[in-house]
Amino acid sequence: MTRYWQDIQPGEQFETGQLSLGRQDILEFAAEFDPQPYHLDSEAAADSIFGGLCASGWQVAALMMRLLTDALHRQAVPVQGVTAVPAMRWKMPVFVDDALSARVTVTGREATSRLGGAGSVDLDVVVVNQHGKPVIELSTRLLVAMEEPANAK
């Protein structure tokens, strides 16, 4: 059963599935998108402030989006897009073989007539590693389809 904008209420919470990040995943992403020494070279990473080979923060943000999208699909939420990420903060590095999951809280929603058939839903997302330690925290605003009134069908 589809969960439209009207069905989503502030205060709701849910958890996502889990993704693991392997050494090759980190190296390939870094080589293409964020070629910093601590993402590409174990020796350089060991001597960095991170103390070891770690994933790009942008890779972690992309994985968060995958976790969130998969969770919303499982709930049959018709997401139309993302309109904003007003806050995002990396809390700690993600290392080889870390397993990530997220806790999501609905913090608000707004009907927006200018969007025609969609409303906004505000979420706070905390991605944690396998030890439950936050690695990234962010707030985001999604567009979610509204259910058409029965008399409009």
Side-chain angles (χ1 to χ4, degrees):
M1 178 174 205
T2 302
R3 293 192 68 218
Y4 292 100
W5 175 85
Q6 294 91 326
D7 303 316
I8 299 169
Q9 299 300 320
E12 283 185 39
Q13 296 182 320
F14 61 92
E15 294 195 10
T16 68
Q18 189 175 65
L19 292 172
S20 293
L21 199 57
R23 176 180 176 77
Q24 199 60 35
D25 299 320
I26 291 172
L27 293 173
E28 288 175 4
F29 185 94
E32 186 161 355
F33 300 109
D34 194 359
Q36 305 298 324
Y38 39 84
H39 300 319
L40 291 169
D41 180 274
S42 294
E43 285 184 32
D47 292 334
S48 75
I49 62 170
F50 302 113
L53 189 70
C54 61
S56 165
W58 298 113
Q59 184 174 19
V60 176
L63 291 171
M64 177 284 310
M65 194 64 207
R66 182 61 196 232
L67 290 166
L68 180 60
T69 299
D70 288 351
L72 292 168
H73 282 162
R74 278 193 301 280
Q75 293 183 40
V77 175
V79 176
Q80 306 289 305
V82 177
T83 63
V85 179
M88 181 166 62
R89 184 175 180 123
W90 290 280
K91 303 297 281 184
M92 67 183 295
V94 172
F95 296 104
V96 173
D97 296 329
D98 275 357
L100 305 178
S101 60
R103 297 185 300 257
V104 182
T105 303
V106 178
T107 58
R109 64 183 204 136
E110 182 181 344
T112 51
S113 59
R114 66 180 171 77
L115 299 174
S120 66
V121 175
D122 295 332
L123 303 175
D124 282 348
V125 182
V126 179
V127 177
V128 298
N129 64 17
Q130 67 274 16
H131 306 294
K133 303 271 188 188
V135 298
I136 188 173
E137 295 176 348
L138 62 102
S139 299
T140 187
R141 176 168 282 178
L142 306 178
L143 288 180
V144 176
M146 293 179 163
E147 184 172 26
E148 290 184 40
N151 61 358
K153 293 181 182 179

PDB file of all heavy atoms in Angstrom, residues 31-58:
ATOM      1  N   ALA A  31      39.473   7.491  -6.526  1.00  0.00           N
ATOM      2  CA  ALA A  31      40.230   7.700  -7.766  1.00  0.00           C
ATOM      3  C   ALA A  31      39.432   8.536  -8.757  1.00  0.00           C
ATOM      4  O   ALA A  31      39.985   9.376  -9.472  1.00  0.00           O
ATOM      5  CB  ALA A  31      40.613   6.355  -8.385  1.00  0.00           C
ATOM      6  N   GLU A  32      38.115   8.331  -8.777  1.00  0.00           N
ATOM      7  CA  GLU A  32      37.290   9.049  -9.751  1.00  0.00           C
ATOM      8  C   GLU A  32      36.784  10.397  -9.246  1.00  0.00           C
ATOM      9  O   GLU A  32      36.707  11.351 -10.008  1.00  0.00           O
ATOM     10  CB  GLU A  32      36.099   8.183 -10.175  1.00  0.00           C
ATOM     11  CG  GLU A  32      35.309   8.825 -11.289  1.00  0.00           C
ATOM     12  CD  GLU A  32      34.441   7.856 -12.048  1.00  0.00           C
ATOM     13  OE1 GLU A  32      34.508   6.647 -11.795  1.00  0.00           O
ATOM     14  OE2 GLU A  32      33.692   8.334 -12.914  1.00  0.00           O
ATOM     15  N   PHE A  33      36.453  10.494  -7.954  1.00  0.00           N
ATOM     16  CA  PHE A  33      35.737  11.678  -7.489  1.00  0.00           C
ATOM     17  C   PHE A  33      36.412  12.495  -6.390  1.00  0.00           C
ATOM     18  O   PHE A  33      36.073  13.657  -6.196  1.00  0.00           O
ATOM     19  CB  PHE A  33      34.337  11.284  -6.995  1.00  0.00           C
ATOM     20  CG  PHE A  33      33.497  10.645  -8.055  1.00  0.00           C
ATOM     21  CD1 PHE A  33      33.208   9.290  -7.996  1.00  0.00           C
ATOM     22  CD2 PHE A  33      33.001  11.383  -9.122  1.00  0.00           C
ATOM     23  CE1 PHE A  33      32.433   8.699  -8.971  1.00  0.00           C
ATOM     24  CE2 PHE A  33      32.225  10.796 -10.096  1.00  0.00           C
ATOM     25  CZ  PHE A  33      31.939   9.449 -10.021  1.00  0.00           C
ATOM     26  N   ASP A  34      37.302  11.913  -5.605  1.00  0.00           N
ATOM     27  CA  ASP A  34      37.879  12.640  -4.463  1.00  0.00           C
ATOM     28  C   ASP A  34      39.294  12.117  -4.200  1.00  0.00           C
ATOM     29  O   ASP A  34      39.550  11.459  -3.199  1.00  0.00           O
ATOM     30  CB  ASP A  34      36.991  12.444  -3.232  1.00  0.00           C
ATOM     31  CG  ASP A  34      37.322  13.413  -2.100  1.00  0.00           C
ATOM     32  OD1 ASP A  34      38.252  14.234  -2.253  1.00  0.00           O
ATOM     33  OD2 ASP A  34      36.659  13.336  -1.047  1.00  0.00           O
ATOM     34  N   PRO A  35      40.229  12.426  -5.101  1.00  0.00           N
ATOM     35  CA  PRO A  35      41.564  11.814  -5.046  1.00  0.00           C
ATOM     36  C   PRO A  35      42.496  12.407  -3.984  1.00  0.00           C
ATOM     37  O   PRO A  35      43.577  12.907  -4.284  1.00  0.00           O
ATOM     38  CB  PRO A  35      42.090  12.048  -6.459  1.00  0.00           C
ATOM     39  CG  PRO A  35      41.422  13.311  -6.915  1.00  0.00           C
ATOM     40  CD  PRO A  35      40.046  13.278  -6.294  1.00  0.00           C
ATOM     41  N   GLN A  36      42.076  12.310  -2.744  1.00  0.00           N
ATOM     42  CA  GLN A  36      42.912  12.741  -1.624  1.00  0.00           C
ATOM     43  C   GLN A  36      43.790  11.562  -1.190  1.00  0.00           C
ATOM     44  O   GLN A  36      43.349  10.413  -1.231  1.00  0.00           O
ATOM     45  CB  GLN A  36      42.047  13.190  -0.449  1.00  0.00           C
ATOM     46  CG  GLN A  36      41.042  14.266  -0.787  1.00  0.00           C
ATOM     47  CD  GLN A  36      41.687  15.554  -1.271  1.00  0.00           C
ATOM     48  OE1 GLN A  36      42.746  15.945  -0.800  1.00  0.00           O
ATOM     49  NE2 GLN A  36      41.049  16.202  -2.217  1.00  0.00           N
ATOM     50  N   PRO A  37      45.014  11.819  -0.736  1.00  0.00           N
ATOM     51  CA  PRO A  37      45.926  10.730  -0.360  1.00  0.00           C
ATOM     52  C   PRO A  37      45.343   9.765   0.678  1.00  0.00           C
ATOM     53  O   PRO A  37      45.557   8.570   0.606  1.00  0.00           O
ATOM     54  CB  PRO A  37      47.149  11.460   0.206  1.00  0.00           C
ATOM     55  CG  PRO A  37      47.066  12.837  -0.327  1.00  0.00           C
ATOM     56  CD  PRO A  37      45.627  13.136  -0.575  1.00  0.00           C
ATOM     57  N   TYR A  38      44.590  10.287   1.650  1.00  0.00           N
ATOM     58  CA  TYR A  38      44.040   9.428   2.710  1.00  0.00           C
ATOM     59  C   TYR A  38      42.873   8.566   2.227  1.00  0.00           C
ATOM     60  O   TYR A  38      42.420   7.696   2.949  1.00  0.00           O
ATOM     61  CB  TYR A  38      43.634  10.247   3.946  1.00  0.00           C
ATOM     62  CG  TYR A  38      42.992  11.570   3.620  1.00  0.00           C
ATOM     63  CD1 TYR A  38      41.647  11.671   3.329  1.00  0.00           C
ATOM     64  CD2 TYR A  38      43.768  12.730   3.598  1.00  0.00           C
ATOM     65  CE1 TYR A  38      41.067  12.885   3.019  1.00  0.00           C
ATOM     66  CE2 TYR A  38      43.197  13.956   3.308  1.00  0.00           C
ATOM     67  CZ  TYR A  38      41.841  14.022   3.021  1.00  0.00           C
ATOM     68  OH  TYR A  38      41.271  15.235   2.709  1.00  0.00           O
ATOM     69  N   HIS A  39      42.402   8.801   0.985  1.00  0.00           N
ATOM     70  CA  HIS A  39      41.394   7.937   0.373  1.00  0.00           C
ATOM     71  C   HIS A  39      42.018   6.950  -0.611  1.00  0.00           C
ATOM     72  O   HIS A  39      41.361   6.008  -1.042  1.00  0.00           O
ATOM     73  CB  HIS A  39      40.355   8.757  -0.393  1.00  0.00           C
ATOM     74  CG  HIS A  39      39.599   9.740   0.431  1.00  0.00           C
ATOM     75  ND1 HIS A  39      39.126   9.488   1.703  1.00  0.00           N
ATOM     76  CD2 HIS A  39      39.210  11.019   0.154  1.00  0.00           C
ATOM     77  CE1 HIS A  39      38.495  10.545   2.156  1.00  0.00           C
ATOM     78  NE2 HIS A  39      38.528  11.495   1.234  1.00  0.00           N
ATOM     79  N   LEU A  40      43.270   7.198  -0.998  1.00  0.00           N
ATOM     80  CA  LEU A  40      43.904   6.422  -2.081  1.00  0.00           C
ATOM     81  C   LEU A  40      45.099   5.573  -1.656  1.00  0.00           C
ATOM     82  O   LEU A  40      45.426   4.605  -2.336  1.00  0.00           O
ATOM     83  CB  LEU A  40      44.377   7.378  -3.182  1.00  0.00           C
ATOM     84  CG  LEU A  40      43.295   8.066  -3.984  1.00  0.00           C
ATOM     85  CD1 LEU A  40      43.899   9.174  -4.828  1.00  0.00           C
ATOM     86  CD2 LEU A  40      42.561   7.058  -4.848  1.00  0.00           C
ATOM     87  N   ASP A  41      45.751   5.945  -0.573  1.00  0.00           N
ATOM     88  CA  ASP A  41      47.023   5.312  -0.222  1.00  0.00           C
ATOM     89  C   ASP A  41      47.042   4.980   1.268  1.00  0.00           C
ATOM     90  O   ASP A  41      46.942   5.879   2.107  1.00  0.00           O
ATOM     91  CB  ASP A  41      48.161   6.272  -0.583  1.00  0.00           C
ATOM     92  CG  ASP A  41      49.518   5.719  -0.267  1.00  0.00           C
ATOM     93  OD1 ASP A  41      49.959   5.878   0.894  1.00  0.00           O
ATOM     94  OD2 ASP A  41      50.136   5.142  -1.175  1.00  0.00           O
ATOM     95  N   SER A  42      47.198   3.702   1.590  1.00  0.00           N
ATOM     96  CA  SER A  42      47.161   3.265   2.993  1.00  0.00           C
ATOM     97  C   SER A  42      48.261   3.897   3.829  1.00  0.00           C
ATOM     98  O   SER A  42      48.027   4.266   4.990  1.00  0.00           O
ATOM     99  CB  SER A  42      47.259   1.745   3.080  1.00  0.00           C
ATOM    100  OG  SER A  42      46.104   1.162   2.520  1.00  0.00           O
ATOM    101  N   GLU A  43      49.452   4.031   3.268  1.00  0.00           N
ATOM    102  CA  GLU A  43      50.559   4.638   4.031  1.00  0.00           C
ATOM    103  C   GLU A  43      50.302   6.114   4.307  1.00  0.00           C
ATOM    104  O   GLU A  43      50.482   6.590   5.428  1.00  0.00           O
ATOM    105  CB  GLU A  43      51.884   4.455   3.290  1.00  0.00           C
ATOM    106  CG  GLU A  43      52.428   3.054   3.386  1.00  0.00           C
ATOM    107  CD  GLU A  43      53.789   2.916   2.734  1.00  0.00           C
ATOM    108  OE1 GLU A  43      54.569   3.891   2.756  1.00  0.00           O
ATOM    109  OE2 GLU A  43      54.054   1.828   2.206  1.00  0.00           O
ATOM    110  N   ALA A  44      49.874   6.830   3.278  1.00  0.00           N
ATOM    111  CA  ALA A  44      49.554   8.248   3.470  1.00  0.00           C
ATOM    112  C   ALA A  44      48.394   8.401   4.458  1.00  0.00           C
ATOM    113  O   ALA A  44      48.406   9.308   5.300  1.00  0.00           O
ATOM    114  CB  ALA A  44      49.209   8.897   2.131  1.00  0.00           C
ATOM    115  N   ALA A  45      47.441   7.511   4.364  1.00  0.00           N
ATOM    116  CA  ALA A  45      46.289   7.566   5.263  1.00  0.00           C
ATOM    117  C   ALA A  45      46.701   7.298   6.705  1.00  0.00           C
ATOM    118  O   ALA A  45      46.199   7.942   7.638  1.00  0.00           O
ATOM    119  CB  ALA A  45      45.233   6.563   4.812  1.00  0.00           C
ATOM    120  N   ALA A  46      47.623   6.363   6.901  1.00  0.00           N
ATOM    121  CA  ALA A  46      48.094   6.050   8.257  1.00  0.00           C
ATOM    122  C   ALA A  46      48.763   7.261   8.900  1.00  0.00           C
ATOM    123  O   ALA A  46      48.681   7.445  10.124  1.00  0.00           O
ATOM    124  CB  ALA A  46      49.052   4.868   8.216  1.00  0.00           C
ATOM    125  N   ASP A  47      49.403   8.085   8.090  1.00  0.00           N
ATOM    126  CA  ASP A  47      50.084   9.282   8.595  1.00  0.00           C
ATOM    127  C   ASP A  47      49.174  10.511   8.653  1.00  0.00           C
ATOM    128  O   ASP A  47      49.609  11.575   9.082  1.00  0.00           O
ATOM    129  CB  ASP A  47      51.300   9.608   7.718  1.00  0.00           C
ATOM    130  CG  ASP A  47      52.396   8.558   7.841  1.00  0.00           C
ATOM    131  OD1 ASP A  47      52.463   7.883   8.892  1.00  0.00           O
ATOM    132  OD2 ASP A  47      53.181   8.416   6.883  1.00  0.00           O
ATOM    133  N   SER A  48      47.935  10.368   8.222  1.00  0.00           N
ATOM    134  CA  SER A  48      47.005  11.507   8.194  1.00  0.00           C
ATOM    135  C   SER A  48      46.294  11.645   9.540  1.00  0.00           C
ATOM    136  O   SER A  48      46.437  10.804  10.433  1.00  0.00           O
ATOM    137  CB  SER A  48      45.965  11.309   7.084  1.00  0.00           C
ATOM    138  OG  SER A  48      45.002  10.338   7.478  1.00  0.00           O
ATOM    139  N   ILE A  49      45.479  12.681   9.649  1.00  0.00           N
ATOM    140  CA  ILE A  49      44.682  12.874  10.870  1.00  0.00           C
ATOM    141  C   ILE A  49      43.674  11.750  11.070  1.00  0.00           C
ATOM    142  O   ILE A  49      43.174  11.555  12.174  1.00  0.00           O
ATOM    143  CB  ILE A  49      43.952  14.237  10.866  1.00  0.00           C
ATOM    144  CG1 ILE A  49      42.971  14.332   9.703  1.00  0.00           C
ATOM    145  CG2 ILE A  49      44.945  15.379  10.859  1.00  0.00           C
ATOM    146  CD1 ILE A  49      42.056  15.545   9.766  1.00  0.00           C
ATOM    147  N   PHE A  50      43.379  10.975  10.008  1.00  0.00           N
ATOM    148  CA  PHE A  50      42.395   9.902  10.097  1.00  0.00           C
ATOM    149  C   PHE A  50      42.997   8.603  10.623  1.00  0.00           C
ATOM    150  O   PHE A  50      42.290   7.748  11.138  1.00  0.00           O
ATOM    151  CB  PHE A  50      41.732   9.679   8.739  1.00  0.00           C
ATOM    152  CG  PHE A  50      41.065  10.917   8.210  1.00  0.00           C
ATOM    153  CD1 PHE A  50      41.541  11.545   7.081  1.00  0.00           C
ATOM    154  CD2 PHE A  50      39.985  11.478   8.866  1.00  0.00           C
ATOM    155  CE1 PHE A  50      40.945  12.701   6.593  1.00  0.00           C
ATOM    156  CE2 PHE A  50      39.376  12.635   8.399  1.00  0.00           C
ATOM    157  CZ  PHE A  50      39.860  13.247   7.261  1.00  0.00           C
ATOM    158  N   GLY A  51      44.293   8.406  10.422  1.00  0.00           N
ATOM    159  CA  GLY A  51      44.963   7.231  10.946  1.00  0.00           C
ATOM    160  C   GLY A  51      44.772   5.956  10.159  1.00  0.00           C
ATOM    161  O   GLY A  51      45.166   4.885  10.590  1.00  0.00           O
ATOM    162  N   GLY A  52      44.148   6.046   8.993  1.00  0.00           N
ATOM    163  CA  GLY A  52      43.944   4.869   8.161  1.00  0.00           C
ATOM    164  C   GLY A  52      43.138   5.213   6.937  1.00  0.00           C
ATOM    165  O   GLY A  52      42.520   6.292   6.856  1.00  0.00           O
ATOM    166  N   LEU A  53      43.145   4.302   5.969  1.00  0.00           N
ATOM    167  CA  LEU A  53      42.400   4.496   4.727  1.00  0.00           C
ATOM    168  C   LEU A  53      40.915   4.677   5.040  1.00  0.00           C
ATOM    169  O   LEU A  53      40.306   3.840   5.724  1.00  0.00           O
ATOM    170  CB  LEU A  53      42.599   3.295   3.802  1.00  0.00           C
ATOM    171  CG  LEU A  53      42.048   3.449   2.388  1.00  0.00           C
ATOM    172  CD1 LEU A  53      42.879   4.469   1.611  1.00  0.00           C
ATOM    173  CD2 LEU A  53      42.053   2.107   1.671  1.00  0.00           C
ATOM    174  N   CYS A  54      40.360   5.776   4.579  1.00  0.00           N
ATOM    175  CA  CYS A  54      38.955   6.073   4.882  1.00  0.00           C
ATOM    176  C   CYS A  54      38.224   6.534   3.631  1.00  0.00           C
ATOM    177  O   CYS A  54      38.820   7.005   2.669  1.00  0.00           O
ATOM    178  CB  CYS A  54      38.851   7.119   5.986  1.00  0.00           C
ATOM    179  SG  CYS A  54      39.600   8.702   5.606  1.00  0.00           S
ATOM    180  N   ALA A  55      36.926   6.367   3.673  1.00  0.00           N
ATOM    181  CA  ALA A  55      36.063   6.740   2.555  1.00  0.00           C
ATOM    182  C   ALA A  55      35.928   8.252   2.462  1.00  0.00           C
ATOM    183  O   ALA A  55      35.965   8.964   3.470  1.00  0.00           O
ATOM    184  CB  ALA A  55      34.683   6.112   2.725  1.00  0.00           C
ATOM    185  N   SER A  56      35.724   8.737   1.256  1.00  0.00           N
ATOM    186  CA  SER A  56      35.378  10.135   1.036  1.00  0.00           C
ATOM    187  C   SER A  56      34.046  10.435   1.726  1.00  0.00           C
ATOM    188  O   SER A  56      33.114   9.619   1.703  1.00  0.00           O
ATOM    189  CB  SER A  56      35.247  10.379  -0.472  1.00  0.00           C
ATOM    190  OG  SER A  56      34.589  11.604  -0.722  1.00  0.00           O
ATOM    191  N   GLY A  57      33.956  11.609   2.308  1.00  0.00           N
ATOM    192  CA  GLY A  57      32.677  12.023   2.889  1.00  0.00           C
ATOM    193  C   GLY A  57      31.564  12.047   1.856  1.00  0.00           C
ATOM    194  O   GLY A  57      30.404  11.773   2.166  1.00  0.00           O
ATOM    195  N   TRP A  58      31.924  12.368   0.612  1.00  0.00           N
ATOM    196  CA  TRP A  58      30.910  12.392  -0.456  1.00  0.00           C
ATOM    197  C   TRP A  58      30.438  10.985  -0.787  1.00  0.00           C
ATOM    198  O   TRP A  58      29.275  10.782  -1.119  1.00  0.00           O
ATOM    199  CB  TRP A  58      31.461  13.114  -1.688  1.00  0.00           C
ATOM    200  CG  TRP A  58      31.787  14.533  -1.338  1.00  0.00           C
ATOM    201  CD1 TRP A  58      33.022  15.105  -1.287  1.00  0.00           C
ATOM    202  CD2 TRP A  58      30.858  15.545  -0.948  1.00  0.00           C
ATOM    203  NE1 TRP A  58      32.917  16.420  -0.881  1.00  0.00           N
ATOM    204  CE2 TRP A  58      31.599  16.712  -0.663  1.00  0.00           C
ATOM    205  CE3 TRP A  58      29.478  15.581  -0.789  1.00  0.00           C
ATOM    206  CZ2 TRP A  58      31.004  17.888  -0.244  1.00  0.00           C
ATOM    207  CZ3 TRP A  58      28.893  16.771  -0.373  1.00  0.00           C
ATOM    208  CH2 TRP A  58      29.639  17.904  -0.108  1.00  0.00           C
TER     209      TRP A  58
END
